[in-house]
Amino acid sequence: MNEELKNQLDQIGNLVDSKIEKAFNSAKDNARGEVEASLKSEISNLSNEYLAKHEAIAKRMDEMEVNAKKTLAGATPKSFKGALDAAIKEGAIEAMLKGNSNAASFEVKADMTMAADFTGVVAGETIVPQFKYDPSRSIHIRSLIPNGSTDAQTIRFPKESGYSDNAAATAQGSTLGQSDFDITATSVNLEKIGTYMRITEEMLNDTPPLSSSLSARVPGKVLSVEDTEILNGDGSSPNLDGLFTDGAAFVTGAGGAFYQSIESANEYDVLVAALNQLALSNYQADTILLNPTDLHKIVLLKSTANEYLRQQIYTGVQPTIMGIPVTVNTAVTAGKFLVGNLAQATQLWIRENLAVSFSREDSTNFRDGFITVKAQERVALTNYQPNAIVQGTFSTAKTALETP
């Protein structure tokens, strides 16, 4: 309620109350309870005046409420700029422009918003210094195999290529059977893996986190290429001789120990059969390599009672199959597997370890204000014992194990 109207009503009410109280006291003094005629008339007049003013005030309040609703309903939010433009178009400074006035003023009632009224960086900003990017692989294949250092260009090693075994129980005085084996000199060359990029001097100088980010980011990409070479290289220079290329294939023919003997064969069955094939060659597996999709597919396998078999794989953080650690790596092609004793099967030789270099001495860098960033390594892979690895494709292996 309007404060002025409220005060007026309170004043009239107080006046009426005082007159009534006076009449009441006069009545008490009058033994016959009669009120003076003049006092009765005064009270009657005040009451009528009070009612009339009350009705007038109520009417004014009703009119104010209606006007307020109309104003609210017709109000259109405007930006500060929009309201200013509207005031000028309506002639707010027309008198001054025509020379009839030395000044102009007007009231602009509008909502100001950052989107409508702020141009450029007006409000404060917080800049996060570190660059954000998707991670590289957390585990690289070089960490799963023995590493060695060399200062040579070629790694040469003797490798057994054949063995004639005529050892046997022999009667007294009889000639022993003769055995022999073939040794082949095998060699691999050191190969270069790397990349480079060119950035401006301004980028390096004006962006403090850039150099540290490059030093962390680029090596991860090079090591991912190294993973692919260690696993899948075809042995033709400049490629390494990969483990999938050199390792023994999963036996899919009748010579396999579980050939056509497993009903509803699945990926878990294939890996157990591969471990058996390795054991038959007198190797004890130390690693199972899978693509993440294939590991999670195995985790989702269920028994005929619709119970998950994951407890056979996860007994802790590290997944295992028959106690052999399982390592996932996206360099392993989905649908393929590798089971092996990598400690015996292979070795990575490093002539130049992975390093990141920054240099102006490249092409026209000095003249043009560029810096070349180079990440490079020189490595070789020697696969000593291919039979210490069993590799294959799940679909082919499951078909070989499935009962007819």
Side-chain angles (χ1 to χ4, degrees), residues 144-145 231 243-244 246-250 267-281 283-291 298 320-327 332 336-346 385-394 397:
L144 304 176
I145 62 180
L231 292 177
L243 303 182
F244 276 96
D246 236 15
F250 181 87
E267 287 78 7
Y268 186 90
D269 299 325
V270 169
L271 293 177
V272 173
L275 288 170
N276 177 75
Q277 180 178 326
L278 202 66
L280 293 177
S281 297
Y283 289 105
Q284 174 62 46
D286 59 18
T287 304
I288 297 174
L289 275 173
L290 299 175
N291 182 277
I298 294 172
T320 60
I321 293 180
M322 294 190 66
I324 310 303
V326 176
T327 299
V332 180
K336 300 185 72 174
F337 63 90
L338 185 147
V339 176
N341 186 322
L342 300 185
Q344 291 184 251
T346 188
Q385 296 167 305
N387 287 330
I389 296 171
V390 175
Q391 52 81 26
T393 303
F394 279 116

Side-chain angles (χ1 to χ4, degrees), residues 359-388:
S359 177
R360 290 185 175 86
E361 298 178 1
D362 178 36
S363 185
T364 60
N365 275 9
F366 181 77
R367 183 188 68 189
D368 299 338
F370 278 89
I371 294 175
T372 297
V373 183
K374 182 180 70 172
Q376 176 183 296
E377 65 176 13
R378 290 181 68 198
V379 296
L381 189 70
T382 51
N383 294 326
Y384 301 128
Q385 296 167 305
N387 287 330

